[in-house]
Amino acid sequence: MGRFDEKFKIVGGKPLCGEVLIDGSKNAVLPILAATLLVDGRSIIHNCPNISDTWDSIGILRHLGCDVVYDGSSLVVDASGAVSAPLPNAYVEKMRSSMIFVGSLLGRFSQIETIPPGGCMLGERPIDLHLKAFEAMGVVFEGGESLIKGKAATLKGTKISLSFPSVGATQNIMLAAVLAKGETIIEKAAKEPEIVDLQGFLNAAGAKVSGAGTSTIVIKGVKALKCPEYTIMPDRIVAGTYLVAGAITRGEVTLKNAKYQDIFPISDALVAMGYKIYNDGNKITLTTKGGIIRPLSLISTGPHPAFPTDMQPQFVALLSTIQGRCSRNCESMVKENVFEARDAHVPELAKMGANITVAEGTHFTIKGAASLTGAVVDAKDLRGGAALILAGLFAQGETIVNNAYYVKRGYADIVGDLRGLGADISIF
Ligand code: EPZ
């Protein structure tokens, strides 16, 4: 079956129970794979998730002259033979996050050529903050709207104040700055845990980066990086997705190898809904037992440590199944503040009987239903597709989720993971 024809089939109605191991983080491994270009030698990375975005990043590294060996978990990149070449259009069009290679190509070769990454279902996804930062470091761009082509005599450290704490822009500036001349200070930087992981990898290679996880990051340029060995952090969004799988089926799910300090905004929201969460170090358990599950008056997404936008579709699905016992109207509100159009999952959930109204693509009003009905639905993006699978776990009867490839971009084995918790799910 071609990868673009695969679908998920879920038969819902069963509470999920059991333990699931959380893989390495997609949004940490992608910038770290780009960072291996900065090392004139070998980088060894463990706990790399076996997802299509990892394989696409390997494709880009090989296109740029690197030797890459990957066994599905540990990955070795030898970038000693890396060359400065235009990023391959096929990857840039398919994977927006290929933009993260711009920072490391500038950092290694002081030049870049690529087509601008496309927008996607979430919104326009501009890259103005990235380009403005690179110009401040001495890059001169040519090529106009349809081409990102730039070079610098030498990259110079400077102070950059971001108008929005963009994750990608923060990471791209770090990558361009580690070998630049002098010191770079990023103000109003993104504080996501994946930024902290990138700092960990870069410092393991001998870079001098500090402040990741706060809004001010300082990078002191060094002459060269040495060969690092590093282990990727667990994926906090996969962890949150599986907690919601336990919540939406009113079951009991334990995560192994998840980091509580990365998922507290998600667990706080679940506790506010009446679920119980227990954290005993490297195991985090959600249970429905003993809780009165109720709607959420408001949940607002935002830059970390706010509630993560990458969990918004999953929570819209969960809240669609929660009526509550309140006398006044039992509605939940979700406000999406990061992307202007992260609502493609709403009409698909409506096919299953969910009662959701959306204003301006960002304000969701959700009236929980006692039950949903299985239907044929279309995944339109990664997290929206995961949300449809979660809704299928709750719905009565069979749900088919088309375009499985979107979900496979960010979940290494969602079928195996959910089956291990007792779900009736397959891919065909
Ligand atoms: C990263 O995307 C993640 N992707 C996204 O996860 C995540 O949703 C997002 O951060 C926010 O947390 C990866 O890490 C690979 P941003 P990124 O730059 O870096 C605007 C998933 O499902 N903006 O923080 O692209 C932008 O339009 C994916 O795993 C500008 O205006 O996110 C958006 O509204 C989806 N100009 C907001 O900032 C810029 O130059 C957040 O974007 C850059 C961004």
Side-chain angles (χ1 to χ4, degrees), residues 26-27 125-130 166-168 310 338-339 383:
K26 165 179 96 75
N27 291 350
R125 311 289 295 270
I127 53 170
D128 55 313
L129 301 177
H130 301 240
S166 155
V167 172
D310 291 347
V338 176
F339 291 109
R383 307 302 173 185

Side-chain angles (χ1 to χ4, degrees), residues 1-8 23-24 26 30 49-56 70 94-95 235 238 242 379 381-386 389 401-416 425-428:
M1 184 78 85
R3 52 172 280 165
F4 288 97
D5 300 335
E6 284 185 312
K7 309 164 194 296
F8 295 105
D23 286 324
K26 165 179 96 75
L30 298 180
N50 194 352
I51 55 178
S52 54
D53 275 14
T54 296
W55 286 102
D56 287 339
Y70 178 45
K94 187 166 59 165
M95 191 173 73
D235 193 309
V238 170
Y242 291 158
D381 58 73
L382 164 55
R383 307 302 173 185
I389 291 173
V401 179
N402 293 318
N403 309 329
Y405 63 90
Y406 278 119
V407 178
K408 292 174 79 171
R409 291 191 52 190
Y411 296 83
D413 183 12
I414 196 165
V415 170
I425 180 171
S426 56
I427 185 165
F428 62 100

Side-chain angles (χ1 to χ4, degrees), residues 17-322:
C17 291
E19 291 194 349
V20 60
L21 180 69
I22 301 302
D23 286 324
S25 162
K26 165 179 96 75
N27 291 350
V29 77
L30 298 180
I32 287 173
L33 287 178
T36 62
L37 269 178
L38 295 162
V39 179
D40 183 0
R42 279 158 47 107
S43 301
I44 301 171
I45 307 166
H46 301 296
N47 202 29
C48 287
N50 194 352
I51 55 178
S52 54
D53 275 14
T54 296
W55 286 102
D56 287 339
S57 300
I58 290 170
I60 292 174
L61 287 169
R62 287 176 172 155
H63 174 87
L64 296 170
C66 300
D67 282 331
V68 186
V69 177
Y70 178 45
D71 66 8
S73 176
S74 291
L75 192 145
V76 181
V77 181
D78 183 342
S80 48
V83 294
S84 171
L87 281 178
N89 292 358
Y91 287 112
V92 176
E93 284 155 359
K94 187 166 59 165
M95 191 173 73
R96 272 192 50 76
S97 42
S98 53
M99 185 62 204
I100 200 64
F101 282 87
V102 173
S104 48
L105 280 165
L106 285 171
R108 174 85 182 259
F109 301 111
S110 301
Q111 61 182 26
I112 177 65
E113 181 174 337
T114 179
I115 56 169
C120 66
M121 289 306 290
L122 312 185
E124 200 246 324
R125 311 289 295 270
I127 53 170
D128 55 313
L129 301 177
H130 301 240
L131 302 180
K132 225 163 88 186
F134 295 142
E135 283 172 335
M137 297 176 77
V139 180
V140 177
F141 286 101
E142 49 175 293
E145 295 289 305
S146 59
L147 186 67
I148 299 174
K149 187 172 180 180
K151 66 167 68 172
T154 45
L155 275 180
K156 293 183 303 302
T158 184
K159 183 184 280 192
I160 295 159
S161 180
L162 291 173
S163 57
F164 179 87
S166 155
V167 172
T170 301
Q171 291 166 334
N172 247 338
I173 297 164
M174 290 165 74
L175 295 172
V178 286
L179 297 175
K181 237 174 143 46
E183 179 178 87
T184 299
I185 299 173
I186 310 173
E187 291 180 333
K188 300 196 196 104
K191 300 187 269 192
E192 273 68 6
E194 293 78 18
I195 310 266
V196 179
D197 225 28
L198 177 60
Q199 173 180 276
F201 173 80
L202 291 171
N203 287 346
K208 290 189 169 46
V209 186
S210 59
T214 75
S215 48
T216 303
I217 298 176
V218 180
I219 305 107
K220 293 183 182 1
V222 294
K223 286 246 173 304
L225 297 184
K226 63 181 185 0
C227 304
E229 181 159 5
Y230 194 74
T231 298
I232 301 289
M233 63 178 265
D235 193 309
R236 61 189 172 106
I237 304 303
V238 170
T241 303
Y242 291 158
L243 286 180
V244 173
I248 204 168
T249 59
R250 307 328 188 239
E252 180 164 303
V253 165
T254 295
L255 309 179
K256 290 189 293 183
N257 191 40
K259 278 166 74 177
Y260 182 75
Q261 71 266 29
D262 292 345
I263 64 161
F264 71 83
I266 303 164
S267 59
D268 287 357
L270 290 163
V271 168
M273 294 166 74
Y275 292 97
K276 301 250 185 290
I277 303 257
Y278 303 101
N279 167 29
D280 82 351
N282 72 342
K283 282 192 179 181
I284 299 168
T285 297
L286 168 136
T287 184
T288 316
K289 272 189 227 119
I292 298 176
I293 308 306
R294 52 188 174 271
L296 263 184
S297 49
L298 175 65
I299 196 161
S300 267
T301 71
H304 192 77
F307 183 84
T309 175
D310 291 347
M311 285 298 303
Q312 177 259 97
Q314 299 91 314
F315 265 67
V316 168
L318 172 60
L319 291 165
S320 298
T321 73
I322 295 172

